[in-house]
Amino acid sequence: MNDEYFIKIALDLAKQGAGFTSPNPMVGAVIVKDNEIVGKGFHEAVGKAHAEVNAINDAGLLANGATLYVTLEPCNHIGRTPPCTKKIASSGIKRVVVAMRDPNPHVQGGGIDFLTDIGVEVATGICENEAKKQNEIFIKYINTKRPFVIVKCAATLDGQIATMTGDSKWVTSEKSREYVHGLRHLCDAIMVGIDTVKRDDPALTTRLDGINCLDPVRVILDTHLSIPEEAKILGMDSNSKTIIITGDSFSKDKKKRIEKKGALVVNSPVKNALIDLDHLIDYLGSINITSLLIEGGGKVIASAFKAKIVDKINFFYGSKILGGNNGKSICNGLGPALMKDSIQIQDIDVTLFGNDVLIEGYVWPKRNMQCPK
């Protein structure tokens, strides 16, 4: 069993913190002595102990002289918790294997330098690409203060998300929809347009069996504040809030009534009669939203691509064909005249959910995704 074997175990441990650690990264750690795991830990939630601390506490005295495998460079600064490097030093750990360096430009390398200076052997870059993908949200946000944006849609094989009447239940299978609820749990916020609210009256919550999930912040694009006051998202018992993004043309009395229901109404600049999404992304980042899941509809998805705010796509295709051109397309509006001007998607993964197909990929070129080598 080599370093890669134990780092992969740490990466699996890190996944258990998915959805709970924001704005912190997901981190897993294992402690190995005489080729046996003697301690495990992961970062369970923001404000709680880091993975290294949990693993060292799990190992107890067996940490002395052992090797620590951790998916992210140990912190050497005081944040919500004390620096992990001090805990490592006091435990007697002799070697530390790190998957990826800290992407925070203000602290990167500090933990490794501290450990090296006190005589701890440090190896880096083991399963680095896997670690970077696992924390792609954190990497984007810590470098730009803008959320990582995922566009999700569910379409028929001929590219339509609903029939001519707006019926979309159900394009894909229950397995696919369960995966989407996992995405909602992972992301800080979810965004749809007002047309989706009026047509479907969605809850935009997370529902996963056996998991105490977090609901994403619900962001509704509603330029003229035309949301029905009886809309489901304005009267739910949820562990998250609803934000209505509107322009300057709306009823102030209606705003007061909506805010009494617990929603937040935020004014935003308008561009070409639509909410300026580039400005909105800056706003969401300013309120510590590190990730945004865009679920539609077609006008919102098209606007997101035009505004160049999208980092990643999750396109689900159900095993259905509408067989006409009068349904609702994934993107609603005018596209480019030439194929060479289309949006390029790279690093594609394909996953089957029964007869459904998920195409996952990244908008190219990747923007503001710096991470130290």
Side-chain angles (χ1 to χ4, degrees):
M1 291 180 284
N2 55 20
D3 289 345
E4 182 176 336
Y5 173 83
F6 291 114
I7 281 289
K8 286 184 175 180
I9 293 175
L11 286 166
D12 282 340
L13 282 169
K15 293 176 186 176
Q16 296 183 48
F20 297 107
T21 64
S22 178
N24 290 349
M26 292 177 277
V27 184
V30 295
I31 296 174
V32 176
K33 194 169 189 177
D34 298 328
N35 219 32
E36 295 288 338
I37 294 176
V38 296
K40 294 181 180 180
F42 67 95
H43 184 36
E44 297 177 8
V46 63
K48 290 190 175 182
H50 288 186
E52 303 94 315
V53 172
N54 288 331
I56 291 169
N57 289 341
D58 187 41
L61 295 177
L62 292 175
N64 186 43
T67 296
L68 167 67
Y69 293 86
V70 63
T71 59
L72 181 69
E73 177 182 353
C75 65
N76 192 42
H77 61 282
I78 297 175
R80 294 182 177 87
T81 58
C84 293
T85 50
K86 301 293 178 65
K87 181 77 172 181
I88 294 169
S90 64
S91 72
I93 285 172
K94 295 301 182 185
R95 182 171 182 257
V96 175
V97 179
V98 177
M100 63 174 281
R101 292 174 178 268
D102 194 324
N104 187 334
H106 301 294
V107 302
Q108 62 183 246
I112 290 172
D113 290 344
F114 174 87
L115 294 172
T116 302
D117 288 345
I118 64 172
V120 175
E121 179 187 347
V122 179
T124 62
I126 312 301
C127 299
E128 183 177 25
N129 290 336
E130 293 94 323
K132 286 180 178 180
K133 182 168 184 178
Q134 185 174 78
N135 274 313
E136 59 193 5
I137 289 172
F138 177 71
I139 292 170
K140 164 81 180 290
Y141 184 74
I142 204 66
N143 279 283
T144 68
K145 298 304 178 185
R146 287 162 67 97
F148 186 89
V149 179
I150 303 170
V151 166
K152 168 263 166 185
C153 72
T156 60
L157 290 175
D158 49 349
Q160 300 181 74
I161 59 177
T163 67
M164 61 180 293
T165 64
D167 179 36
S168 61
K169 294 185 178 179
W170 294 105
V171 178
T172 53
S173 67
E174 187 174 341
K175 286 185 177 180
S176 295
R177 297 197 296 274
E178 183 179 0
Y179 183 88
V180 170
H181 279 278
L183 283 176
R184 290 183 178 185
H185 174 63
L186 175 67
C187 291
D188 290 344
I190 183 172
M191 186 170 80
V192 300
I194 187 59
D195 289 345
T196 297
V197 173
K198 290 178 178 177
R199 183 183 66 245
D200 299 336
D201 196 22
L204 302 179
T205 54
T206 303
R207 300 177 295 278
L208 289 170
D209 290 340
I211 299 177
N212 184 21
C213 303
L214 296 179
D215 291 336
V217 173
R218 294 166 291 279
V219 180
I220 312 301
L221 302 181
D222 186 6
T223 308
H224 303 293
L225 199 59
S226 61
I227 186 170
E229 294 182 44
E230 67 276 9
K232 191 180 297 181
I233 57 172
L234 296 180
M236 292 188 308
D237 180 16
S238 171
N239 53 31
S240 195
K241 60 186 176 182
T242 297
I243 304 177
I244 313 294
I245 307 297
T246 187
D248 293 324
S249 175
F250 61 86
S251 164
K252 290 181 172 57
D253 287 339
K254 185 174 183 180
K255 177 183 177 182
K256 290 178 182 178
R257 293 195 301 271
I258 288 174
E259 290 185 330
K260 280 184 179 180
K261 292 175 176 285
L264 176 65
V265 179
V266 175
N267 290 87
S268 177
V270 174
K271 189 175 182 179
N272 299 323
L274 299 172
I275 300 297
D276 185 337
L277 295 185
D278 192 56
H279 179 274
L280 175 60
I281 289 300
D282 283 334
Y283 165 73
L284 294 177
S286 74
I287 60 172
N288 295 321
I289 288 178
T290 69
S291 53
L292 174 68
L293 179 64
I294 298 178
E295 286 206 11
K299 186 188 296 184
V300 173
I301 292 175
S303 297
F305 283 121
K306 285 184 173 67
K308 298 182 179 180
I309 64 169
V310 181
D311 297 297
K312 187 176 185 179
I313 65 163
N314 275 258
F315 278 24
F316 290 84
Y317 290 92
S319 53
K320 299 177 176 70
I321 295 173
L322 287 183
N325 63 357
N326 59 347
K328 309 294 184 181
S329 298
I330 294 172
C331 292
N332 184 3
L334 297 177
L338 300 175
M339 190 61 68
K340 69 180 181 65
D341 296 323
S342 60
I343 298 162
Q344 300 297 308
I345 305 298
Q346 300 283 340
D347 300 335
I348 288 175
D349 285 324
V350 178
T351 306
L352 291 178
F353 292 90
N355 288 327
D356 297 343
V357 179
L358 166 62
I359 296 179
E360 179 184 76
Y362 296 84
V363 175
W364 199 262
K366 292 182 181 178
R367 302 178 186 88
N368 301 315
M369 297 288 289
Q370 302 96 335
C371 186
K373 294 182 180 179

